[in-house]
Amino acid sequence: MENELLRFKEILLAHLVRYPLMSPEDCAKLVYQSEFAGEHMIASAEESLKCIEREMGEVPAERGEIYESIGSGIARLHLGPAKAAGMTAMEINRLFISGKATGSKEKQEQKLDLMEHLCREGKTAFSREELSEFLIKYRAEGCPPLRHSERFRQAYEPHYRVVRKER
């Protein structure tokens, strides 16, 4: 577990550099996804495919990383670069719906603690107070899946699916 936590620390630090406007909500979303992938978003394979087809129709094909590791053998598959590489919505959906995660609430909590540690070290754009306020509420709600913050969505326009990607 310690090696996994060290790997996640590197991933979280890289995300904080790549996405400097990350809020506590965005970091907690990364933590959640690294443990539980995107299963909470899958009502059915058919509905998932329709959503991916619709989103792929809206997102421009662009150069860039298709896969962005988020730890535990899980990655964010970015739709713009995937589209540019010729991946189909059906291929992406197949990867998305087969991406079962094997995370735990215990590991999620350890990663949230790591997030607090990095904030205390000044590695985040948000304050300790902002993080503390967020975590009190988030933990009281049982640490559910989250949406990206409005600030993150406006700045980075994320279009991805969370998939299993072997290390």
Side-chain angles (χ1 to χ4, degrees), residues 2-47:
E2 191 167 317
N3 283 339
E4 184 178 333
L5 202 55
L6 287 174
R7 281 194 301 274
F8 185 75
K9 178 180 180 180
E10 292 170 8
I11 288 166
L12 182 54
L13 286 169
H15 276 73
L16 288 165
V17 169
R18 184 174 185 180
Y19 307 107
L21 297 177
M22 284 180 78
S23 69
E25 181 178 356
D26 300 306
C27 289
K29 180 177 183 71
L30 179 67
V31 166
Y32 184 93
Q33 289 176 334
S34 76
E35 282 301 309
F36 305 112
E39 292 176 43
H40 65 282
M41 292 183 60
I42 304 169
S44 74
E46 295 80 20
E47 282 302 309

Side-chain angles (χ1 to χ4, degrees), residues 11-148:
I11 288 166
L12 182 54
L13 286 169
H15 276 73
L16 288 165
V17 169
R18 184 174 185 180
Y19 307 107
L21 297 177
M22 284 180 78
S23 69
E25 181 178 356
D26 300 306
C27 289
K29 180 177 183 71
L30 179 67
V31 166
Y32 184 93
Q33 289 176 334
S34 76
E35 282 301 309
F36 305 112
E39 292 176 43
H40 65 282
M41 292 183 60
I42 304 169
S44 74
E46 295 80 20
E47 282 302 309
S48 173
L49 178 59
K50 286 178 189 176
C51 289
I52 292 170
E53 287 172 338
R54 183 173 46 252
E55 196 170 347
M56 295 228 9
E58 298 167 358
V59 70
E62 59 191 13
R63 292 175 43 99
E65 283 182 80
I66 295 174
Y67 296 99
E68 179 180 35
S69 177
I70 60 172
S72 305
I74 299 170
R76 289 176 174 170
L77 185 156
H78 291 279
L79 299 182
K83 185 176 180 178
M87 289 182 79
T88 67
M90 184 149 318
E91 289 173 291
I92 294 167
N93 192 52
R94 190 173 19 257
L95 290 169
F96 179 54
I97 63 175
S98 68
K100 304 289 185 210
T102 57
S104 72
K105 286 288 190 180
E106 178 187 355
K107 289 191 290 183
Q108 181 187 24
E109 190 58 43
Q110 290 174 337
K111 290 175 179 180
L112 291 173
D113 290 344
L114 173 64
M115 192 171 91
E116 285 182 287
H117 178 75
L118 293 177
C119 183
R120 282 193 306 273
E121 288 183 342
K123 305 279 188 193
T124 64
F126 44 84
S127 69
R128 291 182 197 183
E129 294 77 22
E130 186 181 357
L131 178 60
S132 178
E133 185 179 303
F134 168 80
L135 285 176
I136 288 169
K137 182 179 176 199
Y138 186 59
R139 286 174 169 142
E141 294 170 349
C143 301
L146 297 164
R147 290 180 47 96
H148 278 295

